[in-house]
Amino acid sequence: MKSSKSIILCATGLTLLFSSCKKEEWLNPQPKTLITDVTAFSTPERILSQVNGLYASMKTTSYLGSWYTIISDVRTGEFHCSNMNAATGSTMYSMLPQTTTTDVNDIWVALYASINKINVFLDNMDNGGDAVLDAAVANNYRAEARLIRGMTYYYLLQFYARPYWDGNGSKPGLPLRLTGNTGPGNYDLARSSVADTYKQVLADLDFAEQNLPSNYSSAFLNTTRAHKNSAIALKTRVYLSMRDYAKVVTEANKLVPATAPFIASSGVGNKLEANFADIFKSPYSSNESIFSMPFTNNDAPGSALSRYYLPGTGDGGTATSNGAGEYSLNKVEGIYSSPLWVDSDARKSLTKIGTKTGKAWLTKFNQASPYIDYAPVIRYSEVLLNLSEALARTTNTVDARSLAFLNAVYGRSNQGSSLSASSFANVNAYLNRIIEERRIEFVGEGIRNGDIMRLGLTIPAKSQHAIAAVPTDDPAYILPIPSNELILNNLMENN
């Protein structure tokens, strides 16, 4: 296995220039056996190529290409592992992560490689990139970079650090690397606290909100490049993880009007898609998709998200949707077994019972090879449910506005049905219903692990494989700092 240092150093090389260049540059290329920092930041087109490369760094297999999202769900009990193969995540599924576990190392490396690319980009913007760009465009690009960096640190926190509620952010967080590594050097850096790491996440997202454009020129760009609403939506998730419910309300109110119809009033007109299944179909750019990772036949991760969840042809998979059948929905302890997820729910139509095994498969992402389904990062339905929960917690009531948002998401998939305040014995019962709605709405989208962490819930048992529940004080509740980091960073330790 490569060391973290070698991977990080590779990652610090300038990102691939995959945006289209001007015809003149194609016809009269500059000889380049080595693209220097100065060359790569010498024209607006090349700088934009670097920005595109930052997004590409999130689409690797070990990050949002598939693996981070899959592990975020399969460790939580929503799925059953079909073959218990360590190469396809069984160690993480079994809640037995070690510092040397491949997944523990690969996810850490992929996310820090993305952060380092961002830091190198920001350093080069400060050291010459500004000279060839309009000031507003330069800050737009910085904002995109900082949004991605803030997201990435947030994602790392969900796996490798204790939840914010444990010690009010005082527990060890992450090494906060904010400048780029472009060559051998001293990589010693102590862990910042959880609170300080979250502070950096929010600083990046606040900068992004202030400097990103309100929208772009096409629905595709509004879905795949960060804009103001992207930053605001992500802040509702971050504040929810911190249990700062008042801030969730403040941020979400920027995107959600007081009364229906619930459509963002500024920037991109984000709203719920009328048909749930349409969110996950081409062209994948509905206004519900606030931010998503795009894939094409020529731009796909090494291992697709859908490959793990779809059945093979022997169990009902088709020629175009044929998967590997690695993870089926848990029909015993998972959300699939909940009486709240009724068969008439439109979201149930994106599951399939295997023709041979009787297993329940998730078909939300419906084509395994080539992988062209977009990977959702955040959707408008999450903002509505974040706000719904935050209002209930800040008022300690079944708040009418909170209930309206819950019903907007629930009713969309249940033929316009609605829940009434009188059906809940108390506010705790109501909050539990919101959490169950989140489990149904976002199954397979990598949300459940973060919810378990922030709520301080026990990670459920997986009875089919005799895997015990993991309480909040168990070391396996979070992932250990990987061995590569411990070897190379003398100030790093597992706490």
Side-chain angles (χ1 to χ4, degrees):
M1 182 182 295
K2 294 181 180 179
S3 71
S4 289
K5 183 184 289 185
S6 65
I7 295 174
I8 288 174
L9 290 177
C10 290
T12 61
L14 294 169
T15 53
L16 294 175
L17 306 179
F18 61 87
S19 291
S20 58
C21 300
K22 288 184 176 180
K23 182 177 180 181
E24 291 82 2
E25 291 178 328
W26 284 353
L27 296 175
N28 301 288
Q30 297 180 8
K32 44 182 180 284
T33 56
L34 174 67
I35 300 177
T36 67
D37 292 353
V38 174
T39 302
F41 285 79
S42 62
T43 69
E45 293 79 10
R46 288 181 175 177
I47 295 174
L48 177 58
S49 295
Q50 306 309 310
V51 176
N52 289 334
L54 302 182
Y55 287 99
S57 73
M58 292 191 294
K59 294 164 55 176
T60 60
T61 296
S62 292
Y63 193 1
L64 298 183
S66 62
W67 210 236
Y68 184 97
T69 304
I70 289 168
I71 297 303
S72 296
D73 273 335
V74 302
R75 73 193 302 264
T76 68
E78 299 290 28
F79 291 85
H80 271 152
C81 186
S82 296
N83 59 21
M84 297 301 287
N85 186 342
T88 54
S90 68
T91 304
M92 304 288 262
Y93 169 82
S94 301
M95 304 305 295
L96 296 172
Q98 304 295 320
T99 61
T100 56
T101 300
T102 299
D103 300 326
V104 171
N105 279 276
D106 287 355
I107 291 172
W108 178 276
V109 167
L111 272 64
Y112 266 104
S114 180
I115 287 169
N116 197 56
K117 285 185 178 182
I118 292 161
N119 289 337
V120 170
F121 172 82
L122 292 171
D123 291 346
N124 279 288
M125 286 294 291
D126 291 342
N127 295 324
D130 279 339
V132 297
L133 293 174
D134 175 83
V137 173
N139 276 338
N140 177 352
Y141 292 167
R142 282 192 177 89
E144 290 180 83
R146 290 190 63 175
L147 179 138
I148 297 168
R149 185 174 69 183
M151 278 178 54
T152 304
Y153 272 123
Y154 171 80
Y155 283 137
L156 283 163
L157 281 167
Q158 307 317 300
F159 274 170
Y160 297 96
R162 294 291 300 172
Y164 197 94
W165 56 260
D166 186 4
N168 196 33
S170 63
K171 296 298 175 71
L174 302 168
L176 276 175
R177 301 189 183 278
L178 302 176
T179 58
N181 289 330
T182 57
N186 181 5
Y187 294 98
D188 292 345
L189 183 63
R191 299 174 74 170
S192 296
S193 68
V194 167
D196 283 343
T197 311
Y198 269 104
K199 183 178 179 180
Q200 181 61 49
V201 170
L202 289 167
D204 281 342
L205 294 179
D206 283 339
F207 180 89
E209 180 190 356
Q210 294 162 9
N211 292 281
L212 285 170
S214 296
N215 52 45
Y216 293 96
S217 59
S218 68
F220 170 76
L221 292 176
N222 285 336
T223 301
T224 60
R225 285 185 69 178
H227 47 78
K228 287 186 185 295
N229 287 5
S230 313
I232 295 167
L234 288 166
K235 282 197 285 182
T236 70
R237 182 188 289 176
V238 172
Y239 280 122
L240 200 67
S241 295
M242 299 171 69
R243 298 188 178 183
D244 192 340
Y245 302 117
K247 290 287 183 62
V248 176
V249 173
T250 297
E251 296 296 334
N253 279 341
K254 299 175 185 178
L255 301 183
V256 183
T259 58
F262 304 124
I263 304 173
S265 59
S266 62
V268 178
N270 294 122
K271 62 180 181 178
L272 291 180
E273 182 74 13
N275 186 321
F276 182 77
D278 288 346
I279 303 167
F280 305 97
K281 295 178 180 178
S282 179
Y284 306 100
S285 54
S286 74
N287 281 339
E288 180 161 349
S289 300
I290 299 177
F291 191 27
S292 296
M293 294 291 102
F295 297 101
T296 66
N297 290 353
N298 298 319
D299 175 32
S303 296
L305 184 65
S306 53
R307 176 184 181 275
Y308 294 91
Y309 292 146
L310 291 172
T313 52
D315 206 29
T318 67
T320 57
S321 69
N322 186 36
E326 299 284 357
Y327 290 98
S328 62
L329 287 159
N330 186 339
K331 295 169 70 175
V332 180
E333 300 100 348
I335 190 60
Y336 187 85
S337 66
S338 172
L340 297 176
W341 198 3
V342 297
D343 289 343
S344 59
D345 189 314
R347 294 166 295 195
K348 210 63 170 285
S349 68
L350 297 187
T351 67
K352 170 187 285 189
I353 299 298
T355 54
K356 180 179 180 181
T357 66
K359 294 179 178 180
W361 302 102
L362 182 68
T363 60
K364 181 181 281 186
F365 310 106
N366 57 66
Q367 183 164 318
S369 181
Y371 181 51
I372 57 173
D373 294 318
Y374 285 20
V377 175
I378 192 162
R379 299 195 276 114
Y380 194 68
S381 61
E382 184 183 343
V383 177
L384 291 178
L385 291 178
N386 290 351
L387 180 53
S388 178
E389 181 180 342
L391 285 168
R393 292 190 187 280
T394 54
T395 64
N396 199 34
T397 66
V398 184
D399 178 84
R401 189 166 176 239
S402 168
L403 185 60
F405 301 141
L406 173 60
N407 276 324
V409 177
Y410 168 76
R412 185 256 298 270
S413 294
N414 287 275
Q415 302 172 349
S417 297
S418 61
L419 306 168
S420 64
S422 61
S423 61
F424 301 103
N426 51 48
V427 69
N428 286 334
Y430 175 65
L431 286 165
N432 288 338
R433 183 62 184 84
I434 294 173
I435 300 305
E436 291 297 280
E437 191 67 23
R438 293 173 67 87
R439 293 177 67 189
I440 296 169
E441 179 76 9
F442 304 119
V443 64
E445 296 181 49
I447 300 292
R448 181 59 178 161
N449 180 74
D451 279 353
I452 285 178
M453 297 292 109
R454 70 179 177 85
L455 294 168
L457 302 177
T458 293
I459 297 175
K462 306 174 184 79
S463 59
Q464 181 174 344
H465 293 108
I467 298 169
V470 178
T472 60
D473 59 353
D474 191 300
Y477 196 69
I478 61 172
L479 302 187
I481 301 302
S483 57
N484 286 340
E485 183 71 25
L486 296 173
I487 292 169
L488 293 164
N489 183 352
N490 293 321
L491 296 179
M492 193 66 167
E493 59 184 22
N494 274 306
N495 296 90

